């Protein structure tokens, strides 16, 4: 199946494998999925994601979709959104969800940074390097958006409480008239230090041989 | 440590030792009463029996004796008395061990308890009496085991359990099977060797060996709990070993019954094996089903208990126990039923029952399970002394050896297979701890005890071997696992409390991973979990949770729970707030709020919108505030629903009335918090909303906004200090101003400057119910103080500039 279609041959896979760390079979499976989603096109657009039925019930779907089109996640030191992505970028985004190999401490630390960076980018929608209170509130609003019984102020309260916690743990001492600009990446790291995200933020890519269909 | 103790006063030094002496005396007393009791009862009963016909016959010649002023009638209350004595002994032992500081660190409690049991048993034997058959299997399985399992099941951490369910099942089912057959088979082989001199071992056939293997192969939840609780190992390993010990019950039950059934027949056919597999599925799934049904019943019942809160805990216990008994009726796995029942009913019951009931359930479960566990270990010791023993060196040593070897091989082999499917692989260290943590305990012993003598002539030998293995695992492995954990630097349990950021990100991550899985088109773990959650939210919660809480999203529930917890802490601390010693942060709400445009003058504001505060009111407020500046402490004595004492510095009766009304309302809200009825949906009852409304002066619940300003009775930071002469009434300083308005900021500044000399001020904003932390003992890390103010943060100003705070110039 692979050879007949217009799929990248093995050499490109090798290149991708090195960049992302996926195995050949994983790349192949993901490529098939990519083709399915993009209706055999070369690029994937935002609309293509709408054809996934299960994603519709996800409260943070828009943020997830945005993450795919965010240059910061392409590991190319770019910034800003794009309108369509190629398979390579798709794979790059996916590679953030690979499980770390059980190896040395340093690698774990960098893996953790990388995953937390991904989440940070998802929160920081205006690309300014900090998560402001408004952005954080937006996150919580989205999270709670699916439940009918929502009052704005509890969400705000939660966001405020969370923000205050970050500020307290990161800044320690602030004058009353100082202003805490927003959560920087370093603060974010410190905040989620005990969260063990490198163990949690993983998707099982090896078992994906049976693609499900979308509309 | 000895040096430190020496430095104490002599009185302090001898107190624990005195306590210890007292304990020993008590133990000896009890040890002597029991045989006395055992001795006296047959006598008295015999006497009674003899007396009765005499009395009946000789009614006519009834001789009159002097009226007995004091009689001794022991056998009348013998059984409950002895039970109580045992429980008292167990509890005193538990107390005693903690009085000896060094001992509890070195030796795990279970070992000490077994030793005590041995001592007591020895004492009884010395007294020449029969040791009461304490570890009677019925008593054990029906009374002693259920509380421990229920406690474990109710507080089972569902998330890690479900995430590792595959691994746990592999270990429980395949691991136990492997252990049973390996041990049984090899034991039989060993027994058959040395054909030259036929020993007693040759008489043992294969099936009894396999039965023995199945009894001894099961990891025991009681022992695992007892030991692992003290070593505080990381959550993953804990749940793996513990989950395995719980779930292998089904395997043990099936194997036990299978081999017991066919030991008489002598052979097991393929059909029997096949039936055994079917039986296993029935036992396991049936047990879980029974548990789930009872759990749902309990949840449903708890929905209606809002008027009879007192018996709520009873439902939890009784339904769970019924689940256990119902499962036992059909020889299904009672343990799995209990676990399923507890785990199922917990989220719904907790949403329905009051806070007090929740505490009651928690404490009763912990209490019963603790007593049960202690009793089990003591009885193990006693039964060891008692039971008829048949020591056979070969058999026993081979058994112990085989247990260890088979466990290691089993764990290593299974991990190799499991790691292919796990995202986070199990390392060698993990495997070692899992293998080493496979402790055997009282269940194995009780099962052995159940064996019938006529079918199993080797019963005593089996029992001896079982006891030896149990002792070996509990003593040797139990004592050495702690140093080994330190040596291998195994990750320990994270002690930090759950913060709201972590909760947010847990949810966020769940949705994110589900989304990614959907994009990849892979129906993985997260996908199904998400589906289950949605099903739960849509249908199940509506049925089982009373009132508005059924719609509450988890994040909000968490947030309210934290708020509530801190409100309770605050009230319990009597309103006394000490400066948090760790991490004094002066970060407050205002620091994180986006800067507003330079504040318009209050006068302008008053012109902009119709002032809701009449002039007179404003004057009063100013007077009050000024007077507060002079006072070092000002508290509003409130929050005692019986006395609402007016603040002596308040002038203005209407102010008092308003305040009183405010207090009552607020207190009602807080009382409602008790019943988890502060739901976002309805006209919000949460204190945050309440405060928001009060401060923004927008709401219609209360009298017009003017009066709220009257409540700004000096948000004096100093007022949060505990007065030395403070009364018992806990106080909450209710400050209803919104901190966001620039005016209130100014006020704060004024106070801060005024109170600067009081040293070490925290320029913390007052926001509504300002609950400063009182450094509680439990888990209070540096974050705690922050959390109080955080979680009670004012929701902040509404975006619109309606805030009329024509406050101070």
């Amino acid at each position: 199946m692979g050879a007949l279609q217009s799929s990248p041959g093995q050499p490109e896979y090798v290149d991708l494998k090195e960049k992302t760390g996926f195995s050949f079979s994983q790349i192949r499976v993901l490529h098939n999925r990519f083709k399915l989603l993009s209706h055999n096109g070369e690029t994937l657009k935002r609309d293509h994601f709408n054809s996934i039925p299960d994603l519709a019930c996800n409260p943070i779907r828009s943020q997830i979709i945005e993450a795919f089109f965010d240059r910061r996640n392409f590991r190319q030191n770019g910034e800003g959104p794009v309108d369509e992505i190629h398979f390579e970028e798709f794979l790059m985004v996916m590679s953030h969800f690979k499980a770390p190999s059980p190896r040395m401490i340093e690698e774990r630390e960098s893996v953790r940074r990388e995953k937390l960076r991904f989440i940070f980018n998802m929160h920081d929608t205006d690309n300014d390097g900090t998560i402001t209170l408004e952005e954080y509130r937006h996150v919580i609003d989205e999270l709670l958006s699916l439940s009918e019984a929502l009052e704005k102020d509890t969400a705000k309260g939660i966001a405020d409480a969370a923000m205050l916690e970050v500020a307290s743990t990161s800044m320690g001492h602030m004058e009353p008239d100082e202003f805490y600009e927003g959560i920087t990446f370093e603060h974010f790291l410190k905040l989620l230090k005990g969260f063990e995200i490198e163990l949690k933020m993983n998707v099982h890519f090896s078992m994906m041989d049976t693609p499900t269909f979308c509309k | 440590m000895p040096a430190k103790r020496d430095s104490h006063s002599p009185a302090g030094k001898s107190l624990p030792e005195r306590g210890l002496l007292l304990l020993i005396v008590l133990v000896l007393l009890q040890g002597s009463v029991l045989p006395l009791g055992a001795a006296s009862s047959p006598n008295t009963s015999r006497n009674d029996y003899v007396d009765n016909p005499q009395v009946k016959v000789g009614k006519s010649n009834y001789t009159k004796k002097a009226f007995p002023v004091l009689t001794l009638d022991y056998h009348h209350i013998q059984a409950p008395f002895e039970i109580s004595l045992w429980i008292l002994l167990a509890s005193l032992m538990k107390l005693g061990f903690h009085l000896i500081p060094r001992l509890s660190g070195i030796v795990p409690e279970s070992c000490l308890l077994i030793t005590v049991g041995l001592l007591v048993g020895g004492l009884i034997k010395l007294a020449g009496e029969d040791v009461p058959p304490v570890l009677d299997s019925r008593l054990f399985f029906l009374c002693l085991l259920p509380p421990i399992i229920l406690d474990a099941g109710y507080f089972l951490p569902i998330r890690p359990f479900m995430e590792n369910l595959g691994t746990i099942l592999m270990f429980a089912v395949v691991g136990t099977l492997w252990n049973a057959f390996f041990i049984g088979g090899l034991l039989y082989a060993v027994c058959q060797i040395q054909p030259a001199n036929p020993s007693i071992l040759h008489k043992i056939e294969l099936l009894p060996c396999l039965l023995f293997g199945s009894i001894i192969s099961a990891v025991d939840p009681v022992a695992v709990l007892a030991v692992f609780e003290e070593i505080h190992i990381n959550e993953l390993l804990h749940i793996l070993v513990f989950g395995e010990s719980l779930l292998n019950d089904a395997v043990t039950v099936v194997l036990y019954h299978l081999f017991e059934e066919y030991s008489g027949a002598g052979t097991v056919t393929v059909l029997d094996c096949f039936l055994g597999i079917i039986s296993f599925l029935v036992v396991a799934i049936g047990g879980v089903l029974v548990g789930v049904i009872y759990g749902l019943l309990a949840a449903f019942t708890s929905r209606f208990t809002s008027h009879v809160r007192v018996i709520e805990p009873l439902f939890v216990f009784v339904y769970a126990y019924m689940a256990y008994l119902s499962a036992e009726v059909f020889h299904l796995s009672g343990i799995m039923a209990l676990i399923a029942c507890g785990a199922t009913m917990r989220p719904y019951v907790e949403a329905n029952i009051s806070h007090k009931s929740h505490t009651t359930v928690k404490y009763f479960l912990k209490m019963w399970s603790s007593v049960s566990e202690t009793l089990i270990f003591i009885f193990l010791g006693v039964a060891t002394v008692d039971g008829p023993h048949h020591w056979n060196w070969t058999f026993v040593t081979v058994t112990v050896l085989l247990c260890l070897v088979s466990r290691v091989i089993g764990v290593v082999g299974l991990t190799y297979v499991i790691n292919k499917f796990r995202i986070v692989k199990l390392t060698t260290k993990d495997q070692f701890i899992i293998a080493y943590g496979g402790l055997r305990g009282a269940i194995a012993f009780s099962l052995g005890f159940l064996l019938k003598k006529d079918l199993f002539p080797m019963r005593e030998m089996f029992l001896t071997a079982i006891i030896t293995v149990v002792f070996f695992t509990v003593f040797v492995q139990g004592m050495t696992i702690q140093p080994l954990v330190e040596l291998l630097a195994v990750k320990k349990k994270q002690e930090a409390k759950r913060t709201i950021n972590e909760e947010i990100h847990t949810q966020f991550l769940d949705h994110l991973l589900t989304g990614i899985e959907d994009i990849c088109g892979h129906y993985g773990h997260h996908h199904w979990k998400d589906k289950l959650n949605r099903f739960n939210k849509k249908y199940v919660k509506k049925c089982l949770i009373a009132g508005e809480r059924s719609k509450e999203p988890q994040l909000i529930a968490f947030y309210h729970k934290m708020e509530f917890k801190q409100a309770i802490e605050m009230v319990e601390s009597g309103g006394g707030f000490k400066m948090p010693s760790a991490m004094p942060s002066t970060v407050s709400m205002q620091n994180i709020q986006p800067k507003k445009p330079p504040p318009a003058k209050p006068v302008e504001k008053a012109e902009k919108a119709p002032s809701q505060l009449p002039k007179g009111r404003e004057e009063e407020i100013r007077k009050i505030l000024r007077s507060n500046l002079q006072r070092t402490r000002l508290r509003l004595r409130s929050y005692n629903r019986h006395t609402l004492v007016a603040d002596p510095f308040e002038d203005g009766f209407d102010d008092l009335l308003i305040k009183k009304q405010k207090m009552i309302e607020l207190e009602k809200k807080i009382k409602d918090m008790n019943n988890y009825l502060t739901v976002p949906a309805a006209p919000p009852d949460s204190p945050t909303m309440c405060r928001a409304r009060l401060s923004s002066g927008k709401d219609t619940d209360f009298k017009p906004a003017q009066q709220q300003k009257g409540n700004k009775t000096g948000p004096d930071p100093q007022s949060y200090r505990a007065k030395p002469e403070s009364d018992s009434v806990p106080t909450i300083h209710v400050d209803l101003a919104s901190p966001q308005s620039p005016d209130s900021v100014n006020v704060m500044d004024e106070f801060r400057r005024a109170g600067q000399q009081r040293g070490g001020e925290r320029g913390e904003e007052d926001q509504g119910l300002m609950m400063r932390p009182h450094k509680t003992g439990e888990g209070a890390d540096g974050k705690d103080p922050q959390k109080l103010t955080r979680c009670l943060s004012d929701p902040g100003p509404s975006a619109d500039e309606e805030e009329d705070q024509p406050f101070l110039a």
Side-chain angles (χ1 to χ4, degrees):
Chain A
M1 188 171 167
L4 291 173
Q5 294 188 344
S6 57
S7 56
Q10 283 295 89
E12 283 201 35
Y13 273 15
V14 170
D15 185 37
L16 287 171
K17 177 176 164 85
E18 269 169 42
K19 276 199 205 155
T20 59
F22 281 119
S23 70
F24 284 130
S25 57
Q26 287 170 337
I27 297 181
R28 204 171 328 129
V29 166
L30 284 171
H31 197 84
N32 288 339
R33 183 67 182 170
F34 181 84
K35 279 183 283 207
L36 192 64
L37 285 176
S38 66
H39 305 295
N40 278 332
E42 272 296 315
T43 61
L44 208 54
K45 297 193 179 50
R46 283 190 178 81
D47 299 329
H48 290 132
F49 283 96
N50 294 333
S51 61
I52 307 174
D54 296 311
L55 206 55
C57 337
N58 201 316
I60 56 171
R61 63 186 295 275
S62 52
Q63 287 173 313
I64 298 178
I65 297 178
E66 272 314 305
F68 274 91
F69 293 93
D70 188 344
R71 273 212 207 99
R72 287 175 294 175
N73 294 330
F74 296 162
R75 301 179 201 252
Q76 289 159 2
N77 299 326
E79 269 190 16
V82 294
D83 280 330
E84 48 184 29
I85 54 174
H86 294 91
F87 178 57
E88 184 177 328
E89 283 115 18
F90 182 75
L91 213 57
M92 283 297 185
V93 173
M94 284 298 186
S95 70
H96 285 96
F97 293 92
K98 257 181 65 61
S101 46
R103 228 156 277 172
M104 308 153 297
I105 313 284
E106 302 96 62
E107 196 180 298
R108 272 190 120 180
E109 188 57 40
S110 69
V111 164
R112 183 198 285 136
R113 276 187 87 95
E114 183 191 303
K115 293 190 195 276
L116 281 177
R117 183 88 222 175
F118 186 83
I119 298 197
F120 188 82
N121 290 343
M122 281 183 81
H123 292 332
D124 182 21
T125 43
D126 59 0
N127 286 353
D128 63 354
T130 57
I131 305 177
T132 60
L133 186 62
E134 274 312 310
E135 287 169 345
Y136 213 34
R137 275 189 194 157
H138 182 67
V139 169
I140 296 184
D141 277 340
E142 292 281 304
L143 269 182
L144 297 175
S145 61
L146 273 194
S147 46
E148 315 101 37
L150 179 63
E151 47 159 40
K152 282 234 124 221
D153 285 324
T154 310
K156 266 197 214 166
I158 298 176
D160 289 346
M163 200 74 177
L164 193 55
E165 182 184 280
V166 182
S168 309
T169 52
S170 322
M171 304 289 280
H173 177 86
M174 279 178 80
E175 290 305 314
D177 47 0
E178 269 187 83
F179 174 56
Y180 183 63
E181 293 291 336
I183 312 178
T184 63
F185 185 54
E186 291 308 319
H187 294 167
F188 195 65
L189 275 180
K190 196 165 155 194
L191 182 72
L192 292 180
K193 198 166 33 162
F195 199 54
E196 289 198 338
I197 197 159
E198 69 272 15
L199 298 176
K200 296 191 186 171
M201 186 168 145
N202 301 311
V203 175
H204 223 138
F205 287 109
S206 354
M207 313 286 291
M208 291 183 194
D209 280 330
T210 50
T212 57
F213 295 99
C214 38
K215 293 198 283 251
Chain B
M1 198 117 98
K4 229 181 182 170
R5 267 211 295 229
D6 282 333
S7 65
H8 284 339
S9 65
K13 184 172 162 189
S14 62
L15 193 56
E17 288 167 7
R18 265 198 223 131
L20 205 54
L21 271 172
L22 190 62
L23 263 176
I24 296 178
V25 166
L26 270 168
V27 168
L28 286 173
L29 265 176
Q30 284 179 343
S32 51
V33 167
L34 282 165
L36 273 180
S40 63
S41 59
N43 287 334
T44 45
S45 55
R46 250 184 293 128
N47 281 341
D48 252 8
Y49 189 64
V50 165
D51 277 344
N52 271 338
Q54 229 179 20
V55 168
K56 268 203 194 124
V57 163
K59 197 108 184 162
S60 44
N61 37 345
Y62 178 74
T63 50
K64 184 169 182 230
K65 298 181 283 197
F67 185 75
V69 176
L70 195 64
T71 50
L72 182 72
D73 189 6
Y74 182 67
H75 89 283
H76 178 61
I77 47 97
Q78 180 190 3
F81 190 79
E82 287 188 350
I83 296 175
S84 311
L85 262 186
W86 278 114
I87 297 181
L88 198 58
L89 172 71
S91 317
L92 286 173
M93 281 301 105
K94 236 177 141 65
L95 269 184
F97 295 144
H98 289 284
L99 281 180
I100 314 172
R102 307 259 333 250
L103 199 57
S104 46
I106 307 174
V107 186
E109 224 173 74
S110 38
C111 305
L112 293 170
L113 290 169
I114 295 186
T115 320
V116 166
L118 286 172
L119 276 173
V120 173
L123 275 175
I124 298 182
K125 259 245 161 93
L126 274 179
E129 287 304 326
D130 288 330
V131 176
V134 277
L135 210 49
D136 173 39
S137 292
R138 277 193 72 211
L139 174 72
F140 177 76
F141 280 112
L142 293 182
C143 298
L144 291 178
L145 192 60
I148 302 179
I149 304 294
L150 180 60
D151 179 41
Y154 195 79
F155 293 109
L156 193 68
I158 294 285
R159 243 188 124 84
F161 186 76
M162 285 303 172
E163 281 172 11
N164 295 296
L165 192 61
T167 314
I168 293 177
L169 276 175
M170 273 289 267
F171 277 123
V173 177
V174 180
T176 312
L177 278 174
W178 157 259
N179 276 345
F181 283 105
F182 186 78
I183 296 178
L186 275 188
L187 211 53
Y188 178 67
V190 164
C191 288
Q192 295 305 320
I193 60 173
Q194 289 187 331
N197 37 344
S199 72
I200 199 166
L201 292 178
H202 285 247
K203 287 208 217 94
I204 310 177
E205 298 165 29
L206 178 61
L207 277 175
C209 272
L210 285 175
L211 179 60
F212 178 74
S214 69
I215 294 177
I216 199 106
S217 63
V219 177
D220 186 79
V222 179
V224 164
L225 258 180
V227 169
F228 269 52
E229 220 165 50
E230 296 179 7
I231 62 178
H232 296 300
I233 209 164
N234 70 41
E235 199 179 51
L236 173 68
L237 286 178
H238 186 256
I239 199 73
L240 281 181
V241 182
F242 184 59
E244 178 197 343
S245 69
L246 289 175
L247 294 187
N248 66 18
D249 180 60
V251 181
T252 313
V253 162
V254 170
L255 281 179
Y256 182 82
H257 282 123
L258 186 72
F259 290 133
E260 193 195 14
E261 190 73 29
Y262 292 113
S263 283
T267 53
V268 179
T269 63
V270 178
L271 179 66
D272 295 326
C273 284
F274 184 64
L275 284 176
I277 297 177
I278 307 259
S279 165
F280 165 70
L281 288 171
V282 167
V283 161
I285 300 180
V288 171
L289 258 175
V290 168
V292 167
I293 292 175
Y294 274 98
L296 291 175
L297 270 177
F300 189 64
T301 313
S302 72
R303 185 180 166 182
F304 302 106
T305 57
S306 49
H307 297 291
V308 199
R309 295 271 177 202
V310 194
I311 58 173
E312 271 171 346
L314 195 63
F315 284 119
V316 171
F317 303 137
V318 172
Y319 272 114
Y321 195 50
M322 291 277 289
Y324 180 75
L325 293 175
S326 309
E328 287 290 325
V329 164
F330 299 102
H331 277 296
L332 304 174
S333 167
I335 291 185
M336 291 182 81
L338 215 45
I339 301 281
C341 184
T344 314
M345 72 164 125
R346 184 178 181 204
Y348 308 110
V349 161
E350 283 199 348
N352 283 330
I353 64 179
S354 70
H355 179 73
K356 287 202 185 117
S357 300
H358 176 68
T359 312
T360 309
V361 166
K362 181 166 124 176
Y363 272 94
F364 262 86
L365 279 178
K366 296 284 176 202
M367 180 183 81
W368 272 331
S369 72
S370 176
V371 169
S372 261
E373 190 182 296
T374 318
L375 273 177
I376 287 180
F377 283 115
I378 292 187
F379 285 172
L380 253 181
V382 172
T384 310
V385 171
D386 167 39
H389 289 301
H390 179 104
W391 181 271
N392 183 304
W393 276 103
T394 325
F395 193 75
V396 173
T397 44
V398 168
T399 307
V400 174
L401 216 65
L402 278 180
C403 278
L404 285 173
V405 167
S406 84
R407 175 89 183 151
V408 171
I409 299 180
V411 168
V412 170
L414 278 175
T415 315
Y416 178 72
V417 175
I418 289 173
N419 271 346
K420 293 209 200 310
F421 298 94
R422 277 181 71 89
I423 303 180
V424 179
K425 318 277 182 203
L426 293 173
T427 64
T428 320
K429 256 195 260 176
D430 294 337
Q431 291 175 37
F432 178 75
I433 296 291
I434 295 175
Y436 208 69
L439 306 170
R440 275 52 165 193
I443 291 186
F445 181 76
S446 306
L447 283 177
F449 214 77
L450 270 178
L451 291 174
K452 297 197 204 18
K453 179 79 181 176
D454 41 355
L455 281 177
F456 300 96
M458 295 296 130
R459 183 173 170 264
E460 277 101 33
M461 200 163 68
F462 285 176
L463 276 178
T464 313
I466 293 176
I467 288 198
T468 315
V469 172
V470 170
F471 271 41
F472 181 79
T473 55
V474 171
F475 277 92
V476 174
Q477 284 178 244
M479 272 202 267
T480 54
I481 200 168
Q482 171 80 299
L484 272 174
V485 162
E486 305 280 340
L487 192 68
L488 291 175
V490 180
K491 248 196 309 190
K492 289 269 186 105
K493 182 154 64 162
Q494 313 257 19
E495 286 298 345
K497 263 201 217 163
R498 199 78 183 267
T499 67
I500 191 148
N501 272 300
E502 283 185 2
E503 179 69 26
I504 293 174
H505 281 97
T506 311
Q507 299 247 328
F508 188 80
L509 206 58
D510 268 346
H511 290 299
L512 176 63
L513 289 173
T514 312
I516 296 287
E517 275 187 3
D518 289 333
I519 294 178
C520 291
H522 170 55
Y523 280 163
H525 170 72
H526 287 97
H527 177 92
W528 294 116
K529 196 160 69 155
D530 189 57
K531 266 212 159 78
L532 185 66
N533 275 338
R534 268 186 279 140
F535 172 73
N536 189 16
K537 204 187 319 193
K538 199 159 165 203
Y539 299 111
V540 183
K541 275 195 181 168
K542 288 222 175 80
C543 291
L544 298 179
I545 300 186
E548 286 302 312
R549 290 208 76 208
S550 56
K551 299 206 203 85
E552 197 176 48
Q554 190 187 343
L555 190 59
I556 295 189
F558 180 80
Y559 178 57
H560 283 319
K561 208 193 312 187
M562 285 182 83
E563 267 187 333
F564 183 68
K565 227 188 286 184
Q566 277 134 22
I568 291 292
E569 267 173 33
M570 178 266 156
V571 168
E572 276 175 1
S573 71
F577 299 110
K578 306 192 186 70
M579 287 292 278
S581 50
M583 263 248 277
S585 163
T586 55
V587 180
S588 62
M589 276 307 294
Q590 64 184 113
N591 290 121
I592 66 175
Q593 296 302 333
K595 283 213 170 58
K596 289 226 169 84
K601 289 240 145 205
V603 173
E604 283 176 22
K605 280 188 110 178
E607 288 168 352
K608 259 198 303 189
S611 166
Q612 288 178 307
L613 205 64
K615 266 290 176 184
R617 191 64 57 206
E618 217 180 289
E619 245 331 291
E620 276 184 271
I621 294 164
R622 292 208 189 129
K623 193 166 31 162
I624 293 163
L625 286 171
R626 267 197 298 271
S627 59
N628 287 343
L629 272 176
Q630 293 150 16
R631 291 195 68 226
T632 53
R633 284 168 230 271
L634 175 72
R635 281 176 335 199
L636 180 65
R637 293 186 187 197
S638 63
Y639 204 50
N640 179 330
R641 65 189 69 192
H642 305 298
T643 69
L644 207 52
V645 180
D647 191 286
F649 286 83
E650 273 289 326
D651 39 13
F653 192 60
D654 356 358
D655 268 338
L656 175 65
L657 276 181
I658 297 149
K659 236 181 280 183
K660 192 167 182 167
Q661 187 194 34
K662 262 330 114 30
M663 279 310 101
I664 295 173
E665 307 266 8
L666 205 57
E667 165 199 317
K668 191 160 61 103
K669 302 282 187 277
I670 293 179
K671 184 166 72 105
D672 279 348
M673 271 212 287
N674 268 337
N675 299 339
Y676 283 97
L677 290 177
T678 61
V679 194
D685 288 339
S686 77
T688 47
M689 270 319 291
C690 160
R691 258 174 284 128
R693 270 181 287 126
L694 291 175
S695 55
S696 60
K698 276 195 302 239
D699 201 287
T700 54
D701 261 7
F702 306 109
K703 301 241 182 71
Q706 52 185 347
Q707 293 138 0
Q708 293 148 19
K709 311 308 174 196
N711 273 341
K712 189 154 177 72
T713 51
D716 184 350
Q718 203 57 26
S719 63
Y720 301 119
R721 295 283 163 81
K723 269 167 65 149
E725 71 274 8
S726 68
D727 42 51
S728 52
V729 175
T731 65
I732 299 179
H733 189 96
V734 181
D735 166 21
L736 304 167
S738 157
Q740 306 322 317
S741 98
D743 303 281
S744 59
V745 172
N746 290 338
V747 168
M748 280 313 298
D749 276 343
E750 271 190 39
F751 284 154
R752 212 167 292 115
R753 269 176 243 122
Q756 206 53 263
Q757 60 272 24
R758 295 184 200 126
E761 288 289 21
R762 287 181 56 179
E764 200 79 30
E765 268 295 346
D766 294 349
Q767 31 222 352
L769 278 175
M770 170 79 157
M771 302 190 179
R772 290 290 197 82
H774 152 75
K775 187 118 182 175
T776 55
E778 40 181 15
D781 41 10
K783 285 191 177 183
D784 245 17
Q786 323 313 327
K787 275 207 266 218
L788 271 190
T789 34
R790 283 197 294 277
C791 286
L792 298 176
S793 67
D794 192 308
S798 24
D800 34 71
E801 296 283 337
E802 272 190 61
E803 313 280 320
D804 289 307
Q805 311 261 1
F807 206 41
L808 282 188

